[in-house]
Amino acid sequence: MTTYVITVPGTFVHGITDAARSEVERRLRPRDPQNTDLGETEDLNLLTIQDDGNAFSVRLQVEASDRASAESDAARLVSAALRSSGLSMDDAPLGPAAVTGIDREF
């Protein structure tokens, strides 16, 4: 297994409240890339919202056997966290997940 850092971009179509942002971050906290060597070195944030308040990116730590599985798992995790926080697919559509880095191999 390999530990990947995956970035999932998206858009908050109607913006996001502080409460919803906190809830999304709470749900994703176990996957925070700060727990990886890459995350510490690069000072990666779990959830970054652009100045316009709409565009965002989520960076997650995912263990997977290959790149495609890691990207798929990350997209699924982000989608579930958003939906569980009350944001529909129309409120927060996601772009394609991409490998930001590979931390280490086991």
Side-chain angles (χ1 to χ4, degrees):
M1 296 294 269
T2 302
T3 301
Y4 293 88
V5 175
I6 307 293
T7 299
V8 181
T11 303
F12 294 121
V13 175
H14 308 290
I16 186 169
T17 65
D18 289 340
R21 179 184 181 146
S22 293
E23 182 64 16
V24 170
E25 289 176 327
R26 184 189 68 76
R27 291 179 181 281
L28 294 172
R29 184 66 51 208
R31 301 295 186 142
D32 191 335
Q34 286 294 328
N35 299 325
T36 67
D37 292 337
L38 180 68
E40 290 176 16
T41 303
E42 300 294 326
D43 195 29
L44 299 176
N45 294 321
L46 180 63
L47 173 62
T48 303
I49 300 175
Q50 301 304 315
D51 291 336
D52 66 5
N54 293 332
F56 69 90
S57 59
V58 176
R59 290 177 191 84
L60 301 177
Q61 166 188 328
V62 178
E63 290 185 21
S65 59
D66 58 60
R67 177 187 192 122
S69 296
E71 291 171 345
S72 175
D73 289 350
R76 182 183 47 76
L77 289 165
V78 171
S79 180
L82 292 168
R83 304 314 161 236
S84 296
S85 299
L87 298 163
S88 72
M89 288 178 18
D90 292 334
D91 292 332
L94 299 176
V99 172
T100 303
I102 300 174
D103 191 50
R104 64 182 175 268
E105 292 188 26
F106 294 87

